[in-house]
Amino acid sequence: MRTNGGAAGIDAMSVAAFPAFWRAHGAQVLAKLEAGTYRPSPVRRTMIPKKTGGERPLGIPTVLDRVIQQALAQELGGVFEGEFSESSYAYRPGRGAHDALRAVRAAAAEGLTEAVDCDLKSFFDHVDHDLLMARVAEKVRDKPVLRLIGRFLRAGVVLPDGRRERTPRGVPQGGPLSPLLANIMLTPLDRELEKRGRRFARYADDFLVLVSDRREAERAMGEVVAFVEGELKLTVNAAKSRVDRLARCVFLGCRIERKQIRWSEAAVEEFRGKVRRLTSRTWSVSMERRLGSLGRYVSGWFGYYCISRTWGEVVELDKWMRRRVRQCYWKQWKRGPTRRRMLLRLGADPATVHLASRSRKGCWRLSTNSLVQAALTNEWLGKQGVPDLPALWVAYHYPPPPKPEPEAPRTTAEG
């Protein structure tokens, strides 16, 4: 939580304040947990925007409840890990979204290019507590632990206006225990698909079923809908679920086209939109702060999307991003004399520098001026903190071979 900068719950206690609280009250909390009388606090409801529009409800437990949930998740994760499917990739040690995408790419390479793209309607808000607790109880026999998990599920929420609501169903997104409970709830679906011989990849409630022809895909869709709505008591979102060519489906922000992983249009637009805001000429901050924010965002975004094999798009985005940064510098320098002085300092030709410094063209147009580009080189921008997308892409896809370990010196025994 310290690493993630976790927000406070309804008690307004920060992560930084928790150690002092624990020193004063930890013994009482442990006693309640051991006696089975501990009762979690309601979660604080906040809404976060979805990439596809609308808002998603997020439940923020108190710091104390998050610590207890994390302890439960760490213990129970080992109990349930062996029960999970090989085709489940979310919230598991040694697995992630990239593994799920590679699994889909491998299936496409084998000719499974028709997909069932299934969306579960508000999955985390509609989980049936009785069904979920029955799944948990199959592996967990400790009744106080089961009661504690049930209390977390039924703790309720406090809305932004202060009103409290009960939570008769659902798993609140935002707590450390929720991802594990989601995997437990959806494992029966994984097993059903495996029993029917289906190839699929699931990341939390986002999954694709892959088959070789359209008729088989229609049949698989019917199987999924019947099981999800009949056995799991969840709802398939008919408006967002479909049978289609795999190349037309977006999975975890990517498309699988011609057996290659590529960025989706929405992912690229998300990147461009955020970079536009960070390099806006109307954002009056220092270049150091601007480039620091840009570097952190690009590092996070590209750390995920670097799996794409589209080299041309990487180069194009990199050129566009550097042009945005150059316009910021040109805007910051403002007046002609300042622009002349800065260009000369960066090595511009004194005989021609006036062609740029005295130009009345706008910042965006001047960002592609040959004199400006020759002064604000890629190498110089890199030293200022502008990320190098092609270098990051190459480092991910073509890492240098490990250096051989030096051989230990040989010794000879005397005869």
Side-chain angles (χ1 to χ4, degrees), residues 121-141:
K121 187 175 182 179
S122 302
F123 165 73
F124 283 91
D125 296 331
H126 290 90
V127 170
D128 185 280
H129 288 173
D130 292 336
L131 277 180
L132 173 58
M133 291 307 300
R135 308 289 183 205
V136 175
E138 290 175 2
K139 298 289 291 183
V140 178
R141 304 298 183 187

Side-chain angles (χ1 to χ4, degrees), residues 347-395:
D349 182 2
T352 57
V353 69
H354 66 280
L355 297 176
S357 63
R358 296 180 184 177
S359 175
R360 294 185 178 182
K361 294 178 181 178
C363 297
W364 182 242
R365 292 186 65 183
L366 261 296
S367 62
T368 58
N369 180 278
S370 59
L371 292 169
V372 175
Q373 289 185 328
L376 280 69
T377 63
N378 290 351
E379 292 75 14
W380 185 83
L381 291 176
K383 291 178 181 178
Q384 310 314 305
V386 179
D388 187 336
L389 297 187
L392 293 172
W393 189 91
V394 170

Side-chain angles (χ1 to χ4, degrees), residues 313-381:
E313 289 186 4
V314 172
V315 173
E316 193 63 32
L317 271 187
D318 186 72
K319 289 169 59 178
W320 173 80
M321 179 179 64
R322 291 174 187 279
R323 183 181 178 186
R324 296 284 309 181
V325 173
R326 287 189 179 99
Q327 85 157 348
C328 289
Y329 275 109
W330 201 249
K331 172 68 174 179
Q332 187 185 55
W333 295 341
K334 292 183 180 179
R335 299 173 62 248
T338 303
R339 290 170 173 174
R340 174 185 173 84
R341 184 174 68 253
M342 295 304 298
L343 290 177
L344 289 174
R345 185 181 298 176
L346 293 172
D349 182 2
T352 57
V353 69
H354 66 280
L355 297 176
S357 63
R358 296 180 184 177
S359 175
R360 294 185 178 182
K361 294 178 181 178
C363 297
W364 182 242
R365 292 186 65 183
L366 261 296
S367 62
T368 58
N369 180 278
S370 59
L371 292 169
V372 175
Q373 289 185 328
L376 280 69
T377 63
N378 290 351
E379 292 75 14
W380 185 83
L381 291 176

Side-chain angles (χ1 to χ4, degrees), residues 168-188:
R169 60 194 302 118
V171 176
Q173 289 181 270
L177 190 58
S178 299
L180 174 64
L181 296 178
N183 273 339
I184 293 171
M185 186 66 188
L186 291 174
T187 292

